[in-house]
Amino acid sequence: MLQESHVVTISRFLIDEERKYPEAKGAFTGLLSDIALAAKVIGREVNKAGLVDILGGAGQENVHGEYQQKLDVFADQVMYRALDHTGLVACMASEEHEHFIPIPEKFPAGDYVVLFDPLDGSSNIDLNVSIGTIFSIHRKCTDGERGTLEDCLQPGCRQVASGYVLYGSSTMLVYTSGTGVHGFTLDPSIGEFILSHPDMRIPNPPKKVYSVNEAYFTRWSEEQQKLVSHLKNEGGFGSRYIGSMVADVHRTLLQGGLFMYPPERSRPDGKLRLLYEAAPMAFIIEQAGGRASTGTQNIRDIQPTELHQRVPIYLGSRELVELAEEMLANTSPMSSS
Ligand code: AHM
Ligand code: MG
C-alpha cells in the first residue's frame, strides 16, 4: 500500500513542474492534459482496432495523396476536438489537413499553436505494429487575437514543447518542455499515465544500431550508401527498422543508435515532414542528449516555408549523427532527374 504514494500521475507531474514557475497560470498544464486525454481515446481505439469495423481505408486521400486509414481520420478528429474549445489554443495544423486549422469563432482562442501528426506510421495499422501520435507546441508569434499560418511556420528551436504517444505493447506518452524528457506509461486499470521514465537520456555509449529503410539503397547518394556500408561493415552495427517513426525514435531514445530517412533521387527532401515529425522529434532527441540533423543543418534551425515541407533526417546519438554529417559532407545536392 505504501508504494502507492510513490506513483506520480502525469497530472501531478505537470502541476509539480508548473509550481517551479510562479508566473505560470496553468495553461500549459491544461494543454498537455488535453493531449494526454486525446492520447487515451486514440489508444483505446487503436487497441480494439482488430475487434471492430475500423480497420481498412476511409476511402479518401489526404493532402499528400496517401490513402487515409480510418483510424487516421478518427485520431485527427480526436486531437482537434480535444483542443478546439479550451481557450488555450490559437490555431492548429495537422498532417492530415492541407491548410492550418483556425479555432472556430464560437470558442475563445489562446496563446498556443499545436501542430500534430495524429497517427504516424499508418501503413502499420492493419498489421498490429506500433504506431504513434506526434505533437509540437509553439507560442503564437503574431499580434492578432487568433492564430495564423505564420504562427504555424516557426522554426523548431522556438518550440515550447513537443512529444509523442506510442501505441505499442503499452501506451506511452513522452514529452519535453525544454527541461529534460519525461516518459509516462498508461496504466489501463486506472486510466492514468504514470511517470515511468523520468529524465530520459540517450545512453552513452549507444547500442550499435542504425535504422533506415535499406530497400531504398539504390536510390541514395553514393555518400549515403557508403555511410550505411561503413556502419555495418567496419562499424559492426546491427539494423532495426520498424517503419513507424515513433517506434523507431523511441528505441533510439532508449538504446541509442542512428535513425535516418535520407534524401533519394526521386525525393530529394526525403519523406518525413518538418513540422509534424522532424522538428518535434529533434527537440526530444536533443533534450535527451542527442542530435538531429538534415545531414547538413540542425533540424531545429530550419525556417519552415510551407506547412507540409519535408526534410531528410538523421537523429539519435550525437557522435553517430556527427559521423553521418562528416561522411555526407561532400554529397552533391540531389535532384529528381
Ligand atoms: P505516415 O505519416 O504517412 O504514417 O508516414 C510516416 C512514416 C514514418 O512513421 C516512418 O518512419 C516512415 O513513414 C516509413 O516510411 P517507409 O515505409 O518509406 O520506410
Ligand atoms: Mg501520418
Side-chain angles (χ1 to χ4, degrees):
M1 276 297 134
L2 260 181
Q3 281 163 340
E4 297 277 319
S5 63
H6 296 293
V7 170
V8 177
T9 64
I10 194 166
S11 319
R12 175 171 171 185
F13 184 86
L14 290 168
I15 289 166
D16 286 349
E17 286 293 294
E18 188 188 311
R19 286 206 185 104
K20 295 179 188 164
Y21 304 92
E23 70 286 0
K25 296 195 181 72
F28 181 73
T29 301
L31 182 59
L32 251 284
S33 304
D34 293 337
I35 292 175
L37 174 64
K40 285 193 257 185
V41 176
I42 297 168
R44 185 193 61 192
E45 292 306 309
V46 168
N47 286 337
K48 69 181 190 194
L51 298 172
V52 293
D53 180 29
I54 202 158
L55 284 175
Q60 53 182 311
E61 289 190 346
N62 68 9
V63 291
H64 309 287
E66 295 153 354
Y67 195 56
Q68 270 182 324
Q69 300 284 319
K70 276 185 189 174
L71 271 174
D72 282 23
V73 178
F74 175 81
D76 184 58
Q77 284 171 3
V78 171
M79 285 294 283
Y80 172 72
R81 291 200 184 126
L83 300 170
D84 69 343
H85 61 283
T86 60
L88 302 174
V89 178
C91 65
M92 298 177 236
S94 160
E95 195 197 279
E96 302 297 338
H97 292 254
E98 185 171 359
H99 303 292
F100 85 97
I101 310 166
I103 298 299
E105 287 295 331
K106 63 182 174 184
F107 297 128
D111 280 340
Y112 290 106
V113 177
V114 186
L115 311 154
F116 53 87
D117 182 353
L119 211 54
D120 183 68
S122 43
S123 63
N124 283 322
I125 294 172
D126 284 355
L127 310 175
N128 207 356
V129 170
S130 299
I131 47 182
T133 299
I134 308 173
F135 59 91
S136 165
I137 302 174
H138 286 268
R139 223 177 266 283
K140 183 162 72 73
C141 60
T142 57
D143 292 335
E145 194 209 326
R146 276 158 196 273
T148 62
L149 176 61
E150 196 183 330
D151 293 303
C152 299
L153 298 180
Q154 299 188 58
C157 57
R158 296 184 63 176
Q159 288 172 108
V160 294
S162 75
Y164 61 80
V165 185
L166 173 64
Y167 310 105
S169 43
S170 54
T171 297
M172 271 196 81
L173 188 153
V174 175
Y175 90 95
T176 184
S177 56
T179 53
V181 179
H182 308 290
F184 302 81
T185 302
L186 182 65
D187 179 341
S189 67
I190 55 170
E192 285 277 8
F193 279 107
I194 307 293
L195 181 64
S196 52
H197 296 64
D199 201 12
M200 299 169 84
R201 305 286 301 169
I202 298 179
N204 197 7
K207 188 152 179 171
K208 288 181 151 195
V209 167
Y210 67 87
S211 182
V212 70
N213 191 337
E214 216 164 331
Y216 304 148
F217 192 89
T218 55
R219 305 183 200 169
W220 296 339
S221 67
E222 205 178 310
E223 289 78 5
Q224 174 66 37
Q225 292 177 342
K226 281 187 185 153
L227 168 63
V228 169
S229 302
H230 170 78
L231 290 172
K232 66 178 167 191
N233 298 328
E234 285 85 49
F237 275 54
S239 157
R240 290 282 183 280
Y241 189 69
I242 297 165
S244 278
M245 188 192 195
V246 174
D248 281 314
V249 170
H250 187 66
R251 184 197 54 251
T252 307
L253 189 59
L254 292 179
Q255 297 191 327
L258 178 62
F259 171 83
M260 301 172 263
Y261 208 110
E264 297 160 15
R265 274 177 245 296
S266 57
R267 290 192 292 192
D269 296 320
K271 175 184 180 187
L272 300 178
R273 290 89 177 170
L274 174 60
L275 290 176
Y276 316 106
E277 288 157 337
M281 289 308 201
F283 194 14
I284 294 266
I285 288 291
E286 284 177 13
Q287 280 290 312
R291 202 167 134 61
S293 166
T294 62
T296 55
Q297 187 185 7
N298 190 332
I299 282 179
R300 296 216 300 142
D301 289 341
I302 302 171
Q303 170 61 55
T305 52
E306 48 186 280
L307 274 182
H308 298 286
Q309 178 170 346
R310 297 172 197 260
V311 281
I313 180 159
Y314 298 81
L315 65 74
S317 301
R318 176 170 289 275
E319 75 214 51
L320 297 177
V321 175
E322 283 167 4
L323 172 73
E325 287 179 323
E326 231 170 82
M327 292 194 67
L328 297 167
N330 297 319
T331 312
S332 31
M334 285 260 182
S335 77
S336 40
S337 57

